[in-house]
Amino acid sequence: MDKTISTVYDPKQVEEKWYKEWEARGYFHAEVKPDDPAFSIVIPPPNVTGQLHMGHALDNTLQDILIRWRRMQGYNTLWMPGSDHAGIATQIKVEENLKNEENITRYDLGREKFIERVWEWKEQYGSRILNQLKRLGASCDWQRERFTMDEGCSKAVREVFVSLYEQGLIYQGSRITNWCVRCHTALSDIEVEHEDQPGKLWHVRYPVVGEDGIYLTVATTRPETILGDTGVAVHPEDERYKHLIGKELLLPIVGRKIPVIADSYVDPAFGTGAVKVTPAHDPNDFEMGVRHDLPHVVVIGMDGNMLPEAGKYEGMDRYACRKVLVADLEEAGYLVKVEEHQHSVGHCQRCHTVVEPLVSKQWFVKMAPLAKPALDVVNDGRVQFVPERFTKTYTNWLENIRDWCISRQIWWGHQIPAWYCDDCGETIVSRTDVTVCPKCGGAVRQDEDVLDTWFSSGLWPFSTMGWPEDTAELRQFYPTSVLVTGYDIIFFWVARMIMLGMAFRQEVPFRHVFIHGLVRDSQGRKMSKSLGNGIDPLEVIEQYGADTLRFMLITGNTPGNDMRFYWERVESSRNFANKIWNASRFVMMNLDGYDAAAPKAPYTLADEWILSRLQQTVRDVTNMLENYELGEAGRLLYEFIWNEFCDWYIELAKARLYNHEAAEARATAQSVLCSVLEAAMRLLHPFMPFITEEIWQCLPHDGATIVLKTWPKADEALLNPAAESQMNLMMDVIKAIRNMRAELNVPPGKKSPALLQVATDELAALFDNNSGYLRTLGAVDNLTIGRLDDAKPEHAMTAVASGVEIYLPIGGLIDVPKETQRLQKELDSLDKEIARVEGKLSNAGFLAKAPNDVVEKEQAKAAEYREKRQSIQERIAYLASLV
């Protein structure tokens, strides 16, 4: 077996090699094994339009860690991959391509030809993001890849739609919906992003009919909708307006008479306490209109332009109309005043156009009957959110849920399985395509709308496993074990999967919902094209490797919280990979003549310590993974591998490795190094799969791949708290000696005597038996061990570590006059710097003109310099006491 690795770690070569190998050998594929325990995850399907971004990289790294860990634990592990057809987003993308490349629209092609084009685009670009996930190391079962519009998923969508319709839970209705004038489609409430932005509040007076000079003033943020007003509402208990309830007003500019109505919805404290009612253009006004039987006057069209009902403003864009109408109101004396007003404005989530509330005929799902079981399973713990605080986000939304508008006026997606007969007016909803009317035999036409994308992705956990058929996959892998997702789609996706899973499988779709935050830039801003602050994960992988990116994303990250992307953290993770590589290379270079069966010397204190620390690390990391504390698990591994194994144990083992004469002691050191490094690679594998496979393959091992190796289990017999305590004491003393040497500026190669004074014979024996550690790592050449009540040496630096007094005699270590001279020179230079900075900070002109952050930096610099000066002065004084 080749037991060497290259001098320098080349992530690109290693990652490409191993991913091909893993895929070719089918290590990620899961067959149904009814007798084996199962662990399954369905991937949150990325949009076919998508490219890998940092959010995907974090989300899929978290999933891959869980999947790889459970696979190693012996579970029959399925990670179901796939992508979402992303109705509006994909249609817009293809329409843009048609416009740019052929200067045609979808209407030029017609529906059938356009959909063919979208399928062609999907075949060409749709798998791009899934291939990018492979670069990340995602160990999905690629043989089972699904698509929300593939044949099986489409069958499930139609079954659910028809079934809900038959139960009376899907209906058609004319309701006010969020309408995107750019995408030309209705949007559900949660596809609308509300943003606070500055606006105006126009105060307009409406004359009271029959009462000259008497007006009722209303305040509105949307004066263009005045043209569609059919009433003005006041609160029934508002004493200012009680006398006007039931009277009529004259609608400014239009001249239409409209009633004053009383409705408790009105907030008397907002604006003037009188609210114009436009049932055709505001959801709350729509409800008031229903309560008071007010007519609908539609003045804004589906394209955002004014309709004939708007009179002379017909054909204007809604905002152009606003400008002209306000001028007309002012000229006619109706405009009282205009106030600046911050308010929340709804935007289309896809194209960011301001949404227009419009009345239209749409398909809806009745949500209340579906919401109750979905609330029950979270309240009784059948589904658990991690962190638990997100339960409130979920329950609040479900408790206040509104019916879901599921129809979209686009062509790409699941066309609604409803047909209309123009001869007899029959509506037919069917699981199979309908060609003639079953009632009269007349011709039929299918509803042109498609379903909201979230309708099909809401079925994802069971549609991907073959439902509505009763498949072996469903029986083994459903419910899935955990859903990993961002907090931003709890409403869109999580709630709907739970609702539909309960309705059609009578079972939750997953046991846990593991919520993570967003990846923001170093300033805490959301990454976006408009800010130009996005960082491409593939560029990071290209430059630093996938393992580095993965480890950076999960460390320093706690469940549910946003994280910031810092290049310094990427470099820190890259350094960790290099540290592992170099340490492994050192171990392999010192395995010459290694024979696992050779006679061995008893374990040293360092052996007992590192083996005990390994068992504790296995226990702690496993526990953290069980509790979805993946970032903390990564931190523990970093601490163990970098600090304990590399910085301490390898250094302590070197003396035995280099002494070929003491064969048994050398064999023990080799054995411990091998077993600890091999177990550490298994522990680290879910986090950094590529580098661990490369190293593991070069270590003595059995089995074909680390991917399928057994996850380490803590060996209780090797847990040794006494050895850990003793070794911690040894390390504290060594660190104290190193710190004193650094303070004295002793050259690294120069050895020094040391005196330890301890309280007990046991401690004296501990240091005596392990004096080699102090000699090697503390650069001690002559060690004396005494008792605490012994005389204290003169002219020695001193430190105390865990009750042990440590003395480092100065004589011969340093040239006191020379060191004093060096420190004095450093102090003089520092005094000049302090004078310069303090001069700047006392300059009124600088303080007035410089930005706050610049001033703060100078203040921090001054504080740092003063602290350093004090430290140097103390060292000079100490040296003076030695002369």
Side-chain angles (χ1 to χ4, degrees):
M1 187 202 319
D2 180 13
K3 289 195 176 119
T4 58
I5 53 177
S6 60
T7 311
V8 179
Y9 178 48
D10 176 3
K12 191 171 184 181
Q13 180 264 325
V14 166
E15 289 171 6
E16 199 173 303
K17 173 181 76 174
W18 284 117
Y19 204 90
K20 278 181 184 170
E21 173 81 3
W22 294 334
E23 253 203 297
R25 294 192 177 274
Y27 292 152
F28 307 153
H29 180 58
E31 290 291 347
V32 173
K33 297 172 185 170
D35 297 331
D36 288 2
F39 183 86
S40 57
I41 296 178
V42 289
I43 200 170
N47 291 352
V48 287
T49 56
Q51 292 198 62
L52 194 70
H53 58 61
M54 277 300 168
H56 293 129
L58 171 62
D59 190 75
N60 287 282
T61 295
L62 294 171
Q63 291 174 79
D64 196 43
I65 289 169
L66 293 171
I67 283 287
R68 286 179 182 273
W69 165 54
R70 292 298 194 190
R71 188 184 286 124
M72 293 174 80
Q73 282 192 321
Y75 286 83
N76 189 17
T77 307
L78 169 64
W79 186 9
M80 180 78 75
S83 53
D84 193 295
H85 66 278
I88 296 173
T90 306
Q91 177 159 317
I92 288 172
K93 181 77 74 176
V94 175
E95 285 191 85
E96 284 173 355
N97 282 1
L98 289 173
K99 180 73 177 166
N100 295 337
E101 293 173 18
E102 301 175 49
N103 199 28
I104 58 173
T105 70
R106 62 178 161 132
Y107 300 104
D108 295 324
L109 288 173
R111 183 171 192 141
E112 198 174 319
K113 291 284 184 194
F114 176 75
I115 289 173
E116 282 177 18
R117 288 292 192 95
V118 184
W119 276 107
E120 285 171 17
W121 186 93
K122 187 261 172 190
E123 292 310 312
Q124 190 173 351
Y125 298 108
S127 59
R128 175 175 52 190
I129 192 165
L130 297 178
N131 288 328
Q132 289 171 339
L133 286 177
K134 293 180 182 182
R135 290 284 311 274
L136 187 69
S139 62
C140 299
D141 187 346
W142 299 109
Q143 295 177 42
R144 294 182 181 274
E145 186 182 326
R146 301 303 301 267
F147 177 56
T148 49
M149 279 178 63
D150 66 26
E151 189 180 340
C153 289
S154 297
K155 184 178 179 183
V157 165
R158 190 170 281 201
E159 175 61 36
V160 167
F161 184 95
V162 176
S163 178
L164 290 173
Y165 180 80
E166 289 168 349
Q167 296 170 55
L169 295 177
I170 282 184
Y171 64 93
Q172 266 186 306
S174 287
R175 297 272 297 277
I176 198 152
T177 56
N178 307 295
W179 184 267
C180 178
V181 299
R182 183 170 182 268
C183 298
H184 298 293
T185 185
L187 305 170
S188 69
D189 290 343
I190 54 177
E191 289 173 299
V192 178
E193 292 180 342
H194 290 274
E195 297 172 13
D196 279 341
Q197 57 187 55
K200 288 182 167 55
L201 199 57
W202 285 270
H203 291 251
V204 180
R205 56 186 192 173
Y206 290 38
V208 179
V209 174
E211 299 186 26
D212 279 352
I214 305 297
Y215 300 91
L216 179 55
T217 301
V218 304
T220 179
T221 58
R222 304 185 66 216
E224 66 276 13
T225 62
I226 287 173
L227 305 169
D229 287 358
T230 56
V232 169
V234 297
H235 195 279
E237 303 303 319
D238 193 333
E239 294 296 336
R240 294 172 295 176
Y241 303 125
K242 270 188 176 179
H243 66 289
L244 292 176
I245 295 169
K247 292 192 175 183
E248 287 187 313
L249 307 174
L250 202 63
L251 187 60
I253 304 297
V254 180
R256 184 167 63 240
K257 290 179 182 178
I258 59 174
V260 178
I261 60 172
D263 197 291
S264 56
Y265 164 75
V266 177
D267 177 4
F270 178 75
T272 64
V275 177
K276 59 190 267 334
V277 183
T278 322
H281 294 288
D282 184 276
N284 298 309
D285 293 6
F286 179 88
E287 301 297 338
M288 276 198 280
V290 171
R291 289 195 289 274
H292 298 277
D293 199 26
L294 298 177
H296 290 195
V297 176
V298 182
V299 294
I300 302 173
M302 300 289 191
D303 56 0
N305 293 332
M306 306 308 288
L307 295 173
E309 287 78 358
K312 69 174 187 175
Y313 308 99
E314 179 186 354
M316 289 184 183
D317 169 80
R318 52 188 167 162
Y319 297 119
C321 170
R322 175 184 293 182
K323 194 173 179 182
V324 175
L325 178 57
V326 166
D328 289 349
L329 287 168
E330 187 171 22
E331 189 181 332
Y334 293 116
L335 188 64
V336 178
K337 63 176 178 176
V338 183
E339 294 177 327
E340 296 300 319
H341 177 63
Q342 192 82 7
H343 64 142
S344 180
V345 179
H347 294 73
C348 172
Q349 189 199 39
R350 301 289 179 191
C351 70
H352 305 295
T353 303
V354 173
V355 164
E356 192 62 53
L358 293 176
V359 175
S360 58
K361 193 173 185 182
Q362 302 288 346
W363 289 90
F364 295 86
V365 177
K366 280 185 190 170
M367 297 300 272
L370 296 172
K372 188 184 181 309
L375 268 169
D376 290 344
V377 298
V378 169
N379 289 332
D380 66 22
R382 279 178 279 170
V383 173
Q384 295 176 354
F385 280 82
V386 181
E388 197 275 333
R389 69 177 185 273
F390 287 101
T391 305
K392 196 76 180 160
T393 309
Y394 172 89
T395 56
N396 281 350
W397 185 67
L398 281 181
E399 284 163 359
N400 299 286
I401 201 161
R402 293 169 58 176
D403 285 357
W404 174 17
C405 174
I406 54 168
S407 42
R408 298 289 178 271
Q409 288 65 50
I410 57 173
W411 290 353
W412 172 245
H414 295 100
Q415 195 168 351
I416 289 173
W419 288 261
Y420 307 108
C421 176
D422 291 329
D423 293 344
C424 69
E426 185 74 1
T427 297
I428 310 107
V429 171
S430 172
R431 288 173 176 80
T432 54
D433 287 356
V434 176
T435 52
V436 295
C437 175
K439 189 173 180 182
C440 73
V444 294
R445 57 184 172 82
Q446 189 172 356
D447 193 308
E448 292 199 352
D449 291 354
V450 301
L451 288 165
D452 177 8
T453 298
W454 295 102
F455 191 92
S456 51
S457 45
L459 315 179
W460 189 248
F462 55 92
S463 65
T464 52
M465 294 190 197
W467 189 90
E469 309 304 324
D470 178 24
T471 64
E473 281 79 5
L474 276 168
R475 289 194 295 274
Q476 171 138 61
F477 296 114
Y478 188 94
T480 63
S481 308
V482 59
L483 176 79
V484 181
T485 190
Y487 60 66
D488 50 337
I489 55 172
I490 289 174
F491 314 138
F492 284 103
W493 195 42
V494 178
R496 286 165 177 170
M497 282 190 287
I498 295 175
M499 284 189 274
L500 293 166
M502 291 304 295
F504 290 94
R505 291 291 300 167
Q506 293 74 53
E507 179 60 280
V508 298
F510 26 74
R511 310 287 187 200
H512 293 101
V513 182
F514 177 25
I515 300 289
H516 59 77
L518 306 177
V519 183
R520 298 184 177 275
D521 72 6
S522 59
Q523 296 174 47
R525 301 173 302 175
K526 194 171 180 178
M527 292 186 184
S528 68
K529 283 181 186 171
S530 58
L531 287 173
N533 64 341
I535 292 160
D536 184 353
L538 292 171
E539 285 182 20
V540 181
I541 291 171
E542 199 66 35
Q543 192 176 346
Y544 294 95
D547 284 337
T548 289
L549 175 63
R550 288 166 64 110
F551 200 74
M552 184 281 294
L553 285 170
I554 64 101
T555 46
N557 177 26
T558 52
N561 293 328
D562 291 349
M563 66 171 292
R564 294 188 181 193
F565 182 97
Y566 294 101
W567 282 106
E568 295 84 349
R569 291 190 58 241
V570 176
E571 284 163 11
S572 170
S573 292
R574 187 266 318 273
N575 294 345
F576 181 47
N578 287 340
K579 182 86 168 179
I580 296 165
W581 187 261
N582 292 334
S584 302
R585 192 163 176 274
F586 172 81
V587 171
M588 291 168 202
M589 286 167 64
N590 285 281
L591 287 184
D592 54 301
Y594 174 60
D595 176 4
K600 295 178 185 66
Y603 287 144
T604 63
L605 173 62
D607 296 335
E608 291 176 344
W609 165 73
I610 198 68
L611 290 168
S612 182
R613 289 298 306 128
L614 174 63
Q615 311 320 308
Q616 193 59 52
T617 302
V618 168
R619 187 188 274 176
D620 291 345
V621 167
T622 305
N623 187 47
M624 289 298 169
L625 291 173
E626 293 282 0
N627 290 296
Y628 297 103
E629 295 281 357
L630 277 61
E632 185 60 12
R635 188 193 67 78
L636 290 173
L637 283 169
Y638 180 96
E639 293 291 329
F640 175 75
I641 294 169
W642 186 303
N643 295 337
E644 296 178 327
F645 183 68
C646 295
D647 283 356
W648 286 97
Y649 183 73
I650 285 180
E651 294 303 316
L652 292 167
K654 280 180 178 177
R656 286 180 291 164
L657 289 175
Y658 297 159
N659 186 356
H660 288 256
E661 302 304 314
E664 292 187 3
R666 187 168 186 267
T668 302
Q670 288 176 322
S671 171
V672 174
L673 279 166
C674 268
S675 63
V676 174
L677 180 57
E678 192 273 343
M681 291 305 95
R682 281 186 284 148
L683 287 172
L684 190 62
H685 175 70
F687 302 84
M688 302 176 82
F690 296 106
I691 193 171
T692 51
E693 178 77 279
E694 181 75 5
I695 290 167
W696 184 86
Q697 291 287 346
C698 295
L699 288 170
H701 67 270
D702 58 76
T705 175
I706 196 171
V707 173
L708 303 179
K709 277 301 289 181
T710 306
W711 180 254
K713 287 181 182 167
D715 182 345
E716 303 293 322
L718 291 173
L719 280 167
N720 192 332
E724 289 192 37
S725 174
Q726 290 171 355
M727 194 65 210
N728 285 337
L729 179 56
M730 296 294 298
M731 292 190 293
D732 286 345
V733 169
I734 290 167
K735 283 186 268 191
I737 293 171
R738 286 172 168 177
N739 289 341
M740 286 191 283
R741 288 172 59 88
E743 234 178 284
L744 290 169
N745 209 27
V746 178
K750 187 164 190 173
K751 293 199 173 255
S752 63
L755 167 65
L756 306 185
Q757 293 189 342
V758 298
T760 65
D761 291 342
E762 287 79 13
L763 282 176
L766 171 67
F767 287 109
D768 193 34
N769 294 336
N770 297 285
S771 60
Y773 299 163
L774 296 171
R775 296 178 199 281
T776 307
L777 274 68
V780 172
D781 60 359
N782 183 18
L783 179 67
T784 307
I785 301 166
R787 301 302 290 265
L788 288 177
D789 50 8
D790 289 351
K792 310 302 177 194
E794 291 182 358
H795 304 312
M797 274 198 91
T798 182
V800 178
S802 306
V804 177
E805 292 180 5
I806 308 144
Y807 297 92
L808 225 56
I810 301 296
L813 254 190
I814 58 166
D815 182 331
V816 173
K818 193 175 176 184
E819 177 62 9
T820 304
Q821 191 180 8
R822 187 189 70 78
L823 287 171
Q824 188 60 54
K825 196 174 175 185
E826 193 177 333
L827 187 63
D828 293 342
S829 173
L830 202 54
D831 282 338
K832 285 176 190 170
E833 277 302 301
I834 290 169
R836 185 188 63 76
V837 174
E838 287 180 345
K840 199 184 264 192
L841 290 170
S842 61
N843 182 329
F846 169 74
L847 294 175
K849 291 175 186 173
N852 284 341
D853 63 325
V854 172
V855 174
E856 284 168 10
K857 274 181 189 169
E858 291 298 316
Q859 288 169 337
K861 209 183 281 182
E864 184 190 333
Y865 288 161
R866 282 192 288 266
E867 194 178 318
K868 196 172 179 184
R869 177 172 62 184
Q870 185 179 342
S871 172
I872 292 172
Q873 285 170 336
E874 286 171 0
R875 280 161 66 191
I876 290 172
Y878 176 73
L879 288 174
S881 73
L882 300 176
V883 179

